[in-house]
Amino acid sequence: MKLRSLFVTLALAFLLVLLAACGNAEGNDNGEESGNAEGGNSEENADSGGGTTEVLVDGSSTVFPIMEAVAEESQTENPDARVNIGTSGSGGGFEKFAAGETHISNASRPIKEEEKQAVEDAGIEYTEFEVALDGLSIVVNQENDWVDQLTIEELNKMWSVDGNVETWADVREGWPEEEIEFYSPGADSGTFDYFSEVVLGEEGQIRQDASLSEDDNVLVQGVTGSPNAIGYFGYAYYAENTDKLKAVPIVNDNGEAVTPSQETVQSGEYNPFSRPLFIYVKHEALQDESVYNFAKYTLENVGRAAEDVGYVAKPDSDYEQALQTLDEIAGQ
């Protein structure tokens, strides 16, 4: 009996110890899980910027270098700011703008009527701001030593689907009988639209064998890679590659052959390829502090940024007026 009593006593003691240990373990597990969850949520909230809106910008690859420079400066001064800039081309940018996917749309041409209609149909109110000037540049390879200038008529003949131009000799007598390689921005690009309107007219179509790309750096590489190539894009991409490319002087409406530069673009002497550059800002988005701050920072600094990357600034008074308009829209 004594042995049985001792066994029962020991068994009960062991059971009590086991139950106590399980209780402590459950308490510890619950405490640790609760603490980890709270800590994890706090870190996630900090990483997300406390609800900071990511400013979404898309559109023209020509305007991109300007807006990229502005965004980098803005984020240096405001580390919590988040700005995402795409390069879908002016047309592609307006499609995203109408779909409500962006707050700001960059464009190297004014918005078209059908694009206006799409934006209006989506119930989106917006304002257009001119941010800089550009000189669309016609470029050839550095080894090209025969093209001294081109007229709009010659460009039409070269780039038109009906121009029947295959070699440089087909453009002008005395030029080499070497096949020309053509490089152009893609059809969604505002630069493509502008060039087509000026050179080919409303009914004209670009030649089918031209290599098209929405990435201007691809066009630069194409022209630098062949002595018989020709292409066109915004002035900033030429200015970055003057050691590899030659800008072709274009005969203007006064009969003068003019090379693109900040001076000739600002004066309008480099015509018909001097043009304004734009951003389109969604009114409703300006109610968000992040979007408003970035739009304001852009208009305050875009002139300097434009010149830093090779474009031409507007007069200071134009930016001051734009800032007043922005504040009126935002209710500031």
Side-chain angles (χ1 to χ4, degrees), residues 28-248:
N28 288 340
D29 286 346
N30 289 336
E32 289 173 1
E33 286 174 2
S34 176
N36 286 340
E38 290 174 2
N41 288 339
S42 297
E43 290 174 1
E44 288 172 7
N45 288 336
D47 290 342
S48 67
T52 300
T53 298
E54 182 179 33
V55 183
L56 301 175
V57 185
D58 208 313
S60 168
S61 62
T62 300
V63 182
F64 173 77
I66 303 174
M67 296 301 285
E68 180 186 41
V70 170
E72 288 176 354
E73 290 182 6
S74 173
Q75 290 179 248
T76 298
E77 294 189 16
N78 304 284
D80 290 336
R82 287 174 169 80
V83 182
N84 189 324
I85 305 177
T87 55
S88 298
S90 297
F94 284 129
E95 289 180 7
K96 292 186 176 183
F97 196 60
E101 297 175 11
T102 57
H103 305 119
I104 298 173
S105 198
N106 301 330
S108 58
R109 57 159 175 80
I111 188 170
K112 295 179 179 180
E113 287 302 321
E114 59 267 28
E115 293 165 339
K116 285 183 182 179
Q117 191 61 54
V119 174
E120 290 175 7
D121 289 346
I124 296 172
E125 295 183 350
Y126 64 91
T127 293
E128 171 193 279
F129 295 96
E130 284 191 20
V131 293
L133 299 170
D134 175 37
L136 188 154
S137 301
I138 316 299
V139 298
V140 295
N141 190 280
Q142 279 280 10
E143 295 181 29
N144 185 320
D145 58 3
W146 57 89
V147 177
D148 55 348
Q149 63 184 47
L150 285 168
T151 66
I152 297 301
E153 292 72 24
E154 286 173 329
L155 286 170
N156 177 283
K157 183 179 179 182
M158 294 174 69
W159 287 88
S160 172
V161 70
D162 301 320
N164 297 317
V165 168
E166 298 297 332
T167 72
W168 288 102
D170 295 330
V171 181
R172 195 181 299 178
E173 186 178 351
W175 285 359
E177 294 185 2
E178 298 289 343
E179 185 174 351
I180 306 172
E181 297 177 31
F182 295 87
Y183 291 90
S184 165
D188 278 337
S189 167
T191 303
F192 176 95
D193 290 337
Y194 188 84
F195 181 86
S196 296
E197 180 180 342
V198 170
V199 174
L200 304 177
E202 292 185 5
E203 302 300 325
Q205 292 185 344
I206 195 168
R207 58 187 303 135
Q208 299 298 310
D209 60 348
S211 296
L212 276 60
S213 175
E214 300 293 348
D215 187 341
D216 290 326
N217 290 306
V218 171
L219 305 179
V220 170
Q221 292 170 9
V223 179
T224 58
S226 171
N228 292 302
I230 188 170
Y232 65 92
F233 33 72
Y235 178 75
Y237 289 93
Y238 160 67
E240 287 181 356
N241 296 278
T242 53
D243 58 329
K244 304 174 185 176
L245 300 170
K246 290 170 60 176
V248 178

Side-chain angles (χ1 to χ4, degrees), residues 4 6 37 63 96 136 183-184 186 216 251 275 280 294 297:
R4 179 180 294 180
L6 179 61
V63 182
K96 292 186 176 183
L136 188 154
Y183 291 90
S184 165
D216 290 326
V251 178
R275 57 177 179 161
Y280 291 77
F294 179 70
Y297 189 90

